Amino acid sequence: MGTNEVVGHSEQRWDAIAKVKGQAQFTGDFPFKNLLYGKILRSTIAHGRVESYDISEAEKVPGVVKILLPEDLPQNKYSTAGHPWTLIPEKQDIRDRTILTRDVRVYGDDIGAVIAKSELAAIKALEKIKVTYKEYPVYITPQQAMADDARRIHEERDNVLASSKVGFGDVDKSMAEADYIIRENLSTSVQQHVHMENQIAVAYQDADQRWTCVSSTQIPHICRRIIAQAVGVSWSKIRVKKPFIGGGFGNKQDAVVEPLVVAMSMACNGQPVQLALTREESIAYTRTRHAIDYNFAIGVKKDGTITAIDCDVISNQGGYASHGHAIGGKGGTFINAIYKMDSLRYTAKTVYTNIATAGAMRAYGMPQVVFALETVMDDAADKIGMDPIDFRMMNRRPDGFYNAMSNVKQINFKVGECLEKGRKEFEWDKKMAASKQYKTGVKRRGLGVAAFSFGTAVYPFGLEVAGARLILMPDGCFKLMLGSTEIGQGADTALSQMAAEAIGVPFKNIIRDSFTDTDIDPYDTGAYASRQSYVTGFAVKEAAEKIKAKILTRAAKMYDVRTEYIDIIDGNIIYMPDGERLATLEDIAMSSYFDMKDGKTITAYSSVNIHQTTYASGCTLAEVEVDMETGRVKLLSIMNVHDSGKIINPLIANGQVEGGMAMSIGYGLSEGIRYSKEGRPLNNNLLDYKLPTTMDLPKLEHAFVETDDPLGPFGNKSLGENPTVSPAPAIRNAVKNAIGIGINTLPLSPENVYEHIQAQQKGDVQNV
Amino acid sequence: MGTNEVVGHSEQRWDAIAKVKGQAQFTGDFPFKNLLYGKILRSTIAHGRVESYDISEAEKVPGVVKILLPEDLPQNKYSTAGHPWTLIPEKQDIRDRTILTRDVRVYGDDIGAVIAKSELAAIKALEKIKVTYKEYPVYITPQQAMADDARRIHEERDNVLASSKVGFGDVDKSMAEADYIIRENLSTSVQQHVHMENQIAVAYQDADQRWTCVSSTQIPHICRRIIAQAVGVSWSKIRVKKPFIGGGFGNKQDAVVEPLVVAMSMACNGQPVQLALTREESIAYTRTRHAIDYNFAIGVKKDGTITAIDCDVISNQGGYASHGHAIGGKGGTFINAIYKMDSLRYTAKTVYTNIATAGAMRAYGMPQVVFALETVMDDAADKIGMDPIDFRMMNRRPDGFYNAMSNVKQINFKVGECLEKGRKEFEWDKKMAASKQYKTGVKRRGLGVAAFSFGTAVYPFGLEVAGARLILMPDGCFKLMLGSTEIGQGADTALSQMAAEAIGVPFKNIIRDSFTDTDIDPYDTGAYASRQSYVTGFAVKEAAEKIKAKILTRAAKMYDVRTEYIDIIDGNIIYMPDGERLATLEDIAMSSYFDMKDGKTITAYSSVNIHQTTYASGCTLAEVEVDMETGRVKLLSIMNVHDSGKIINPLIANGQVEGGMAMSIGYGLSEGIRYSKEGRPLNNNLLDYKLPTTMDLPKLEHAFVETDDPLGPFGNKSLGENPTVSPAPAIRNAVKNAIGIGINTLPLSPENVYEHIQAQQKGDVQNV
C-alpha cells in the first residue's frame, strides 16, 4: 500500500541527458581563476634513497612557482587506504608513508613536486631536476622480499606486513580421508582499474581559511580524514567535494593525489592547484589488484565429497600497505561460504615488494581466491570424472547455511539456482556435447564454469554507516541528499528510486545531484564493497519513512482525518477507506512552507549503522576456442548468472554486469602490468596494457535469479562487484576443457597459452 | 550554565581574512566555461509602446548569439517583490510585469535583450537595434498620474494601485481640542541604495535539466519562487545559489535580473549566461526608495499634550508595483508606537508614475514617515516653546504600551532612555547653549533631534519562518547551515555566535560559509526587515538546543551518568556536580561517527514560525553649521542612540550603525535621483548622484541602551535598518534651529537650502 512500484523499473538514469549533452561536470571541467598545476617528481629507481636533488635549472623554467622536496611538506605518517576509520588502534590501517619521500620504495615514487602556472612548465621543470640515489636491491616478488637477507622496505616493519590463519577442523586428518588430493600452485596478475577518468584533484583555501579538495574520489568523507591526517590539521578543517566521476573501481578508494594537492595549495598560500595524473601515471603509479600466489589443495572422495581445503596465500602488496592484508586475508570466509568441507585451513601472508602498491579493486580479493578455488575445484571434478556443474551443485552450501567464520546465516543463498539457470540458459549440455568434435586440430573448443559467493558491504569486518536527508520542496518534489558516491555506476538513480518508492511518489519527484560535499552531505563512507544500494539503501528507506510520516501527520491535521486512514500514492494523499484523493502532495508542501499559522518546512534525516549483511552468489559459464598454433583464446560465448536479490533498476544492473564481465575477461585473457627486474613497469599505457575493447568481446549474456531478499532494504543485495569475480576462472576452465592443459597463471594471454602448449608438447607439463 | 558567553563579544567576522586576501568569491568571480553575456535593450522613452524593432544590423555583429524580443520569452505576469509567498490571493503581490515588455512604463524599461559571446559584442549590438515607439504622456509625480484625464500606466489597473486608512479616535474632534494645529506638506526624495556590488546573476541548466541561477540576491529562496513564476516552471525546477554579496540594502530584495537571465539561458539551450548591470543601470533602472508626499498635521496643547495626528500619504511607486503599498501604508502603526495621542488618522495612496520603480530600501518606509513625523513634532515643540527632547520625552509611549494597531505589546521599549542617554552623551544642553552665539552671520549653527520606533521582522503583517541545521563534525566542530542571507552585514558571524553560545562551544567551533543554496539550505525568507538575527536567531537557538540534547544523551550513555548532571561548557562535557571534565566534545563526536556498535552521526534541524515581534527604538542628535551664502550644511557632530536589546557582536553592530547613519546623512543632505520632465533620469552615476564619502562625514558617534529583551532569542531585537531612520530629520531640525527656516523637502542640498534662504529673504516663506 502506498507504493507506486518505482523500484524494479528501468528508470532512465537521472544524469543520462546531461552526460549526452556534455553538462555533467567532472573535476577537470571546473574552471578556476589563477589555477596552478602540480606535477609529481617520480623516482626512476624502485628501491633506494634520494641522496641529492639539484633543482637549480628547474627553478629557472618560466612559469615555475614552487618546487617541493619531501622536507618542505608535512612529515605525518598516514595511510592512503579508504577504509572507514576505527577507534581501535590495532585495526587501523598501517601508516607507512609521508606525502613526499626520499625513501624510494616503488618505481615512480613521489619524491618531489613542481607547481607551475601551466602544466607544460611543470613538465619542463620536472625534466630539469637532477636526482642522485643510493640504490638498494629490488624485490619484485614476495619470495624475494621474504628472503632471509632481504633488506626491509620500511625500516620500522618486517617485509611481511601481516599474516593470518583461519579455518576449522583438522585439515591433515581430513586430507588423509580423501581419495584424491589435488594440490596446485596458482598465481594471479597485477591488474589495473583503467577507469575512464584519471585521478585528478584541485585544492584551494576556502573563505573561512579551511581547505577544500575537489576530487574524483569514491570516498569523499574518508578522503577528508586521510587528507587531515596527512597534512596534520583537525579533520573539519578539510572539505572534500566530489563532482561527476568517470569510474573508480576501487582505485579511487585510496587517497592517492588528495593529500599532496592540498599540501601544494598550502605551500602556495591557498591558491588553487590542480594535480591530474596522466594515463601513464594512473596505470603504473597508483593502485593495482594484488597479485597473489596460492598453494591450494582440495581433498576429495570418489563420490565427490570434499573432505578438506587447504589454502596458503602470499599476497604481493607492493611498496606501501594501502588496504594491505584485508584483501589477501579475506578468502577463507568465502571458500567456506560456498562449498561444504569437513576441514578448512586458510593461511595468508601479505608482503611488501618494490612493485606498484596494490589496493582495492572491484571485488576486493575475490577474483583471486575464486580463480584459485574454482581452478582447483574444476580439476578435482575432472579427477573424479564428474561434470563440473554437478560437482559444484553437490558441494554447494545450502540456502540458510550458518557461516561460523563470519557469524552470518546465509539466508536466501541461491548459488545452486544460478548454476541450474546457467546450465539451462547457456545450453551447457548441448554445447558441451557439440564441443567434443573440436578436441583435436588447430582450433579446439571447450566449456568452463566457475561459481562464487560474495558479501554485501563490510559488516561484520568493518563499520557500516550511511546517511540520507530528504527535503520536501514547495511543489511536492524531494531533494535527496546523500554522502554516498555516484561514480558512474548509477547509484544515485537507484537510491532515488528507493526514495520515491518508500515515499510513494513518481521517480521524477526525487531531485538528486551528484555533487557530494563533506561539509553538508550526510556521513557515508562511500562507494566500495557493493555496499551503497544496501547500506545507503537502508538510510534512504529510513529517511523516506520519516518524511512520509511527517507529511501524513500534517495532512491528517489539515483534512481532519486519522493518520492511519491516509497514504501517499503516486504523489497524492489518498483517503484509503474509499480510495479518493484528499489532496496533492503539493497542497501539503505549500502549506508547510507558507501557512501563516503553522508553516514549518518538512525534512528528514537518517543515519544508520547496519549490523547485518547478506550473501550474494553467482556463476559464469563460458565457451572458448583455442588456437593451438598461436595460443590465442577466442571467447565464443559467456554468461553470468547472478543471485543478487531484487534488481532495483534492470537497465543499470545490466550495465554493471556487462562491465564487470568485461573486466574479468580482460583479467582472464590479457591484462597485467609487467615489471623489469629493476622494478620498472613495462606497459604503462593503453597500447601495451591489453585492456579488452568491445571488439574483443562476445555478446555478454547474463541472467538473474531474482529474489526478494528479506535482509535487503528493498530486497536487494550486492551486485556492483560480483560480475567481475567468476568469468576469469570459467575461461581458464574452458581452456583446460578445450586443450587439456590447466593453466594456473593469469592472464591466459596467447604467449602464456602458447608456452603451456609448447611445454606440454615437450612433455614438460602433466596433462590433467 | 553551559554558556561560554560568545554572544556579546566582538568576534572577528568569519570572512574577514578572506575578504582582505581576496578569497571571498562574489557572483562575478566565478569562472564559467563558455559563458555568454546578456545585456538589456532599454527603452529611451518613459511611457509608450514599442511599435517596431529592427534587429537586422545588430544580428550582424560578430559574437552575437541571440536577440530576444518580448514575444520570444515567457509571457507570465509576475512581481519582482521579495515578499514571503502567501497562500491568500488578495495578499499576494501585484503581478504587473512580464520578463520583457513592449509596453514601456519607465525610462530604461526592459524591451529586449542581446546575448553575445562577449559583453562588448552585446553592447555593440544593442547600439544597432532600432526601435520605434508610440509615445504617451509621462507622469513624474503621483499628482500627474492621478489627474482625471491621465492615461492608465497599466491597462488592467487604476494608477492608484492601492489606498488605505488606519487610525483610531475622532481626529477632527481631537484637533478641535488642540491649542495649535501644525499642518505641513513634506516630500522626500528618490534615494538609491548604491550597494558596492551591482546586480549580477548567472544562469545555466543543471545536470538534471533544472535551472540554476547564481545571484547576488538577498532572498535566495524567494528568488527561486519568483523566477519559477516568471518563466513558468514548477518551483523546484529552479535552484538559486548565493555567493558572497557586496551589499543590497533592499534593492536585492527584488528579483530584478534573475528571471531574465534564466530565460536567457533557456533561450540558449542551457548554456551559462551572465547578466551584470552597470553602475548606471543599477542607479537608474532598478529599485529606489519611494518618494513620498505627506500632508501632516499635529494638534498640540500649550502644555505639550498631543491631541491628534492626521497624516495623508501619497507614495510615488514608479512604473511597476514591486513592494507597492506595503511601504507607504505602514507608517500609522509606527506613529502610534512612539507617541501618545488621542486620535490618529493615517490615510495613504500608492500611485503608479513613469519614474523608476520604487521598492524595498533599508528601513522600508520608515525614513520617510519619521522624516515627516519628526519634522512636524519639532515644529510643534518650537510652537509651544518646549525643548524638542523634553517634548518627545513627555509624549513618548511608555515601556509596555499595547499597540492596538499592530496587536503588539511594546515590551522593553526604551526610546526615553535613548533620548536621555543622547542628551547626556551628546552634551545637548551645553552644545545648545554654545550654538546660540552662531545664530547670525554667514555661518550659523543649530542642533536637532529626531526619534523613531522600529519593528523587528514582519510579524504580524507577514509570514516569519526561518530554519537552521547543525551537523556535528568528527572533531567537535559544527557546520551551521542557514537559508538566511549574509549580504555583508555580518549575519553569518552573529548567527554563528548564537549557535556557539547555545551549544556551549567557542566561536571557532562553528563552521559557516556564505554560500546559500536553495536546494539544500533550510528555508528562510532572507535578508530584510532586520529579521535575521531575530527570526533566524530563534531557528539557530532551537537547532542548537536540539543538537546539544542529542550530544548530552550520547555522552550520558557513554559515561553512564544522568543526562541532567552534565553540560557542554567551552567545548567540553562537564560533570556538573563536581565541575570535572568527563570528556571533550571530540570524544563524543568521534564515537558518534566511528563506534562499531552504535555510531550514528548527530545533526539537528529546526524550522521555526515566529508569531511575535518586538519594538526597537532610538534617536539621533545632530549639530550643523549652515553657510548662509551658499546654502551648504556642514554636519559638525552627530550621534545615534539605539534601543536594540542585546548587542550580539559590538564590532559588527558598530559597523551597521555607522553605515546606516551615513546612508541617512546622504538622504538628508545630498542624495536623490532627478528626472527630466520626459522621465529621463539625470544623475545615473556616482559623479552626479551625490553619495556622501568618508570625507563628507564627521565622526559617526553612537551609543546603545543595551537591554536583554525577553522576546528576543538572545535578548536581541532589530538593528540592521534602524540607524538609517532618524539622522535625516535630526539634520533637518538642526538646520531649522540654525537658520530659523524649516525645510520640508529632501535632500537639504546647498541648492535647496539656498533657495529657502533666498525665499525667506524675499519673504516668500514663513519663519518658524
Side-chain angles (χ1 to χ4, degrees), chain A residues 14-19 21 23-25 28-33 84-88 91 205-210 221 224-225 234-237 239 244 269-271 459-467 469 471 473-475 477 479 481 508 511-513 517-523 542 586 590-603 605-609 611, chain B residues 14-19 21 23-25 28-33 84-88 91 205-210 221 224-225 234-237 239 244 269-271 459-467 469 471 473-475 477 479 481 508 511-513 517-523 542 586 590-603 605-609 611:
Chain A
W14 76 269
D15 52 5
I17 295 172
K19 285 186 171 168
K21 286 168 77 175
Q23 290 169 319
Q25 289 205 291
D29 293 329
F30 288 90
F32 288 89
K33 282 194 180 164
W85 185 240
T86 168
L87 299 174
I88 304 161
K91 288 196 168 180
Q205 189 173 34
D206 258 325
D208 59 1
Q209 308 304 298
R210 297 189 303 144
H221 277 98
R224 169 177 70 178
R225 183 257 301 168
S234 191
W235 296 7
S236 75
K237 292 281 176 285
R239 180 176 190 169
F244 279 98
N269 296 315
Q271 206 175 326
Y459 180 87
F461 305 106
L463 179 68
E464 270 303 359
V465 294
R469 183 182 290 126
I471 301 169
M473 298 290 205
D475 59 1
C477 288
K479 175 79 180 193
M481 294 178 73
K508 67 176 172 57
I511 297 167
R512 178 73 194 126
D513 61 40
D517 179 339
T518 56
D519 254 27
I520 56 179
D521 284 307
Y523 184 76
E542 186 178 299
E586 185 176 0
M590 288 293 280
S591 156
S592 76
Y593 274 82
F594 303 113
D595 184 272
M596 272 293 282
K597 189 145 163 281
D598 62 356
K600 285 190 183 192
T601 52
I602 297 176
T603 72
Y605 179 76
S606 80
S607 173
V608 299
N609 185 322
H611 291 214
Chain B
W14 77 269
D15 52 5
I17 295 172
K19 285 186 171 168
K21 286 168 77 175
Q23 290 169 320
Q25 289 204 292
D29 293 328
F30 288 91
F32 287 90
K33 282 193 180 166
W85 184 241
T86 170
L87 299 173
I88 305 161
K91 288 196 169 183
Q205 190 173 33
D206 259 323
D208 59 0
Q209 308 304 299
R210 298 188 303 144
H221 278 98
R224 168 177 72 180
R225 183 257 301 168
S234 191
W235 296 7
S236 75
K237 292 280 177 284
R239 180 177 191 169
F244 279 98
N269 296 314
Q271 206 175 325
Y459 179 86
F461 305 106
L463 179 68
E464 270 303 357
V465 294
R469 182 182 292 127
I471 301 169
M473 298 291 204
D475 60 0
C477 288
K479 176 78 180 194
M481 294 179 72
K508 68 178 171 53
I511 297 167
R512 177 74 195 125
D513 61 39
D517 178 339
T518 56
D519 253 28
I520 57 178
D521 284 307
Y523 184 76
E542 187 178 299
E586 185 176 0
M590 287 294 279
S591 156
S592 75
Y593 274 81
F594 303 112
D595 185 272
M596 272 293 285
K597 189 146 164 279
D598 62 355
K600 285 190 182 190
T601 53
I602 297 177
T603 72
Y605 179 75
S606 79
S607 173
V608 298
N609 185 322
H611 290 213

Side-chain angles (χ1 to χ4, degrees), chain A residues 483-661:
Chain A
S484 59
T485 317
E486 168 70 53
I487 59 170
Q489 82 281 56
D492 278 344
T493 298
L495 293 163
S496 296
Q497 286 177 262
M498 292 178 181
E501 176 84 20
I503 299 170
V505 297
F507 176 66
K508 67 176 172 57
N509 278 36
I510 307 296
I511 297 167
R512 178 73 194 126
D513 61 40
S514 254
F515 204 85
T516 307
D517 179 339
T518 56
D519 254 27
I520 56 179
D521 284 307
Y523 184 76
D524 190 305
T525 48
Y528 56 84
S530 300
R531 60 179 293 281
Q532 294 190 150
S533 64
Y534 191 74
V535 182
T536 311
F538 278 109
V540 168
K541 190 177 192 182
E542 186 178 299
E545 285 167 354
K546 280 184 182 176
I547 205 162
K548 179 174 186 167
K550 289 180 185 178
I551 291 165
L552 290 179
T553 300
R554 186 173 188 98
K557 199 173 154 201
M558 282 171 69
Y559 294 93
D560 198 20
V561 294
R562 292 175 64 84
T563 311
E564 61 268 34
Y565 288 172
I566 58 177
D567 202 348
I568 305 174
I569 297 178
D570 210 23
N572 292 303
I573 309 293
I574 303 296
Y575 185 68
M576 298 309 287
D578 64 5
E580 290 291 312
R581 182 170 83 176
L582 215 53
T584 65
L585 194 50
E586 185 176 0
D587 295 332
I588 314 300
M590 288 293 280
S591 156
S592 76
Y593 274 82
F594 303 113
D595 184 272
M596 272 293 282
K597 189 145 163 281
D598 62 356
K600 285 190 183 192
T601 52
I602 297 176
T603 72
Y605 179 76
S606 80
S607 173
V608 299
N609 185 322
I610 298 302
H611 291 214
Q612 66 184 48
T613 185
T614 179
Y615 277 59
S617 64
C619 64
T620 302
L621 305 96
E623 183 179 21
V624 299
E625 183 182 80
V626 183
D627 186 319
M628 294 299 283
E629 291 178 351
T630 63
R632 178 163 181 266
V633 177
K634 185 176 175 190
L635 189 56
L636 297 178
S637 58
I638 188 163
M639 172 180 277
N640 265 26
V641 186
H642 288 282
D643 150 34
S644 287
K646 176 79 178 170
I647 302 304
I648 305 300
N649 184 314
L651 189 62
I652 293 176
N654 290 350
Q656 284 278 39
V657 174
E658 293 184 10
M661 290 173 73

